[in-house]
Amino acid sequence: MSNYREIAWQGLWKNNPGLVQLLGLCPLLAVTATLTNALGLGLATMLVLVGSNILVSLVRNYVPKEIRIPVFVMIIAALVTCVQLLINAYAYGLYLSLGIFLPLIVTNCVIIGRAEAFASRNNVGAAAFDGLMMGSGFTFVLMVLGGCRELLGQGTLFDGADLLLGDWAKGLTIHFWLMDTNFLLAMLPPGAFIAMGFLIAAKNVIDKKIEQRKPQTQVQPAVTRVRVTKVN
């Protein structure tokens, strides 16, 4: 149980792929103009991450070390194709909105990194849980970044939720304030870089405060022995 707790802590916070490892920044910054896009890409990445970890863990003892990376990439590509077809069939609006960044999940360093560093060295249960936690941590960063940019850029949250959830979700859009024109800095990539910098800085501040609250262990000073020589 403690091992699974550590895996969860690593994926969600301590070794978060978006805030600490800084992996997958291209889609992270490109498609998070709205919370809906961020959630859609996050869920797609999580599905591929969990599936690839499971399959890599299953075949790890049968794949020669010399060709393991190409085999892992083929597994990931097959899963991305399946997810892409599912989104195309059931959420076509989101499929169009995510565009090229959906098939580019194949090259996401988070997925290939976890396949090589963790799934290829652990059993199926641990690999699946690691994929779930890393995917959840990545999705969390996507959603926070997408929510902040959408709120500052157009004063809404969950705009276009029907693209992900269907026509019934049109009423989920929350309007906080009316804006004559969108705040373009928040909607464009420069705003994504700025917002991402603030998120990383906030995490570092929180980590520093957590570290300061930990009880400090007292270090005993080294005792220097004095040699006494008898003088006649």
Side-chain angles (χ1 to χ4, degrees):
M1 182 62 69
S2 59
N3 186 35
Y4 281 88
R5 188 181 294 114
E6 179 62 23
I7 293 174
W9 174 245
Q10 290 284 338
L12 296 176
W13 185 258
K14 186 177 180 180
N15 203 25
N16 187 286
L19 294 177
V20 179
Q21 300 182 59
L22 301 180
L23 299 176
L25 288 184
C26 182
L28 183 70
L29 299 175
V31 303
T32 53
T34 65
L35 182 56
T36 301
N37 284 357
L39 179 59
L41 183 65
L43 292 177
T45 304
M46 187 190 304
L47 285 175
V48 176
L49 190 53
V50 173
S52 63
N53 271 18
I54 291 174
L55 292 178
V56 168
S57 180
L58 287 173
V59 303
R60 61 194 173 100
N61 295 325
Y62 306 99
V63 177
K65 293 182 178 180
E66 294 78 10
I67 61 169
R68 67 186 187 282
I69 298 299
V71 171
F72 296 167
V73 172
M74 292 297 295
I75 291 173
I76 295 169
L79 290 171
V80 170
T81 301
C82 294
V83 171
Q84 186 178 357
L85 292 175
L86 286 173
I87 296 178
N88 190 2
Y90 296 103
Y92 185 67
L94 181 66
Y95 174 80
L96 294 178
S97 182
L98 295 179
I100 189 62
F101 294 100
L102 193 56
L104 280 180
I105 293 176
V106 175
T107 62
N108 195 319
C109 298
V110 178
I111 300 174
I112 189 66
R114 297 319 296 172
E116 169 65 15
F118 192 91
S120 63
R121 306 175 186 180
N122 291 273
N123 59 53
V124 176
F129 190 70
D130 175 77
L132 180 62
M133 292 299 102
M134 284 290 172
S136 298
F138 188 69
T139 303
F140 172 74
V141 177
L142 282 167
M143 292 180 63
V144 172
L145 187 60
C148 292
R149 292 180 65 193
E150 182 182 352
L151 186 62
L152 294 174
Q154 57 189 51
T156 63
L157 282 179
F158 288 107
D159 183 33
D162 55 300
L163 300 178
L164 177 63
L165 303 175
D167 293 337
W168 67 270
K170 290 182 178 179
L172 294 179
T173 303
I174 304 173
H175 296 271
F176 288 89
W177 54 74
L178 296 177
M179 303 178 65
D180 295 332
T181 58
N182 292 340
F183 181 36
L184 292 181
L185 179 61
M187 305 297 291
L188 294 175
F193 276 102
I194 295 172
M196 190 65 185
F198 277 111
L199 289 181
I200 295 173
K203 183 187 182 303
N204 291 338
V205 170
I206 294 173
D207 284 340
K208 187 175 181 179
K209 289 185 177 181
I210 293 175
E211 189 67 26
Q212 290 175 348
R213 290 181 180 179
K214 290 183 179 179
Q216 300 294 328
T217 57
Q218 296 293 333
V219 179
Q220 296 293 334
V223 177
T224 304
R225 293 187 177 184
V226 179
R227 184 177 180 181
V228 180
T229 305
K230 183 177 180 181
V231 180
N232 293 325

